[in-house]
Amino acid sequence: MIPITQEGMNTMSERTLPELPENLEEFLDIPYGGLFGNSALAQIVEEIVADPTIHYRPKYLEELTGRKPKTVRDALQKLVQLGLIENVSKDSHHPVYRVVVESKKFIALSLLAYALLDDRDKTRCMDTAILDYYHKNLENQDKPLAHATASPEMWGITADGKPHKHGFVVAEGV
């Protein structure tokens, strides 16, 4: 973590942030900009997506969200059922949860969080995240196994576009 000096704080406070339209101000402190309401489940999802690297205990989430223990427990059970988190504790009385960062649901929720930032602040966070995801997960699946180039004559096609009577297939599909 980088310590913030008084000088750094002055610079941050002098920076002008974009004006938020009045009609969106009410959604500023609601998880995902109010898209999912302000339920305990939405609050917990917002918290775990914001920091997927730590292990979460119910008590910690109760303090973060201000929700009652049963409400948090129910929300956590729902997230386990959905495969967004998993219990990594062997002690059933003191569960500890971790985010399943490999889950497509987690990736989609992260992209949604970036989209909300992009719309509000006119950034390109989501574009960067999508490109990073593509390079890490999809690029190798999407590349062709081979490239081939050939002249039309090699394939037995004459300049007039008609097949040459002695043409032959050099290679068949990969």
Side-chain angles (χ1 to χ4, degrees):
M1 189 150 108
I2 300 172
I4 298 177
T5 62
Q6 185 62 37
E7 182 180 309
M9 290 175 74
N10 290 341
T11 305
M12 286 174 30
S13 63
E14 291 171 8
R15 184 173 55 151
T16 308
L17 295 174
E19 283 287 318
L20 189 66
E22 284 183 33
N23 63 333
L24 295 179
E25 283 181 11
E26 66 182 284
F27 301 112
L28 188 59
D29 292 326
I30 299 174
Y32 286 98
L35 194 60
F36 302 125
N38 197 16
S39 68
L41 188 61
Q43 284 181 299
I44 291 171
V45 166
E46 183 183 46
E47 292 299 334
I48 65 173
V49 169
D51 192 356
T53 61
I54 67 172
H55 288 127
Y56 289 94
R57 297 181 192 290
K59 186 79 172 156
Y60 176 67
L61 290 167
E62 291 166 26
E63 293 169 5
L64 274 177
T65 63
R67 301 294 178 143
K68 296 190 183 309
K70 181 177 178 351
T71 304
V72 169
R73 250 189 339 268
D74 291 347
L76 290 170
Q77 284 306 311
K78 182 70 168 177
L79 295 174
V80 167
Q81 289 172 349
L82 292 170
L84 193 58
I85 62 173
E86 64 183 353
N87 186 349
V88 293
S89 173
K90 292 180 177 30
D91 183 355
S92 62
H93 296 293
H94 299 96
V96 177
Y97 299 92
R98 86 162 187 92
V99 178
V100 181
V101 293
E102 306 82 23
S103 163
K104 299 280 185 169
K105 292 175 207 80
F106 169 75
I107 295 164
L109 288 165
S110 298
L111 292 175
L112 179 57
Y114 289 134
L116 291 165
L117 281 174
D118 289 354
D119 286 349
R120 187 186 71 201
D121 299 340
K122 305 297 183 228
T123 59
R124 295 194 58 206
C125 297
M126 189 177 90
D127 297 346
T128 303
I130 289 172
L131 190 60
D132 182 60
Y133 179 79
Y134 171 77
H135 286 305
K136 287 181 179 173
N137 299 292
L138 303 174
E139 188 172 28
N140 289 334
Q141 297 172 22
D142 195 36
K143 287 187 178 178
L145 297 175
H147 291 280
T149 57
S151 66
E153 293 80 21
M154 184 176 182
W155 290 96
I157 299 173
T158 60
D160 61 5
K162 296 184 179 176
H164 189 275
K165 68 178 186 173
H166 299 293
F168 54 91
V169 176
V170 175
E172 291 189 7
V174 177

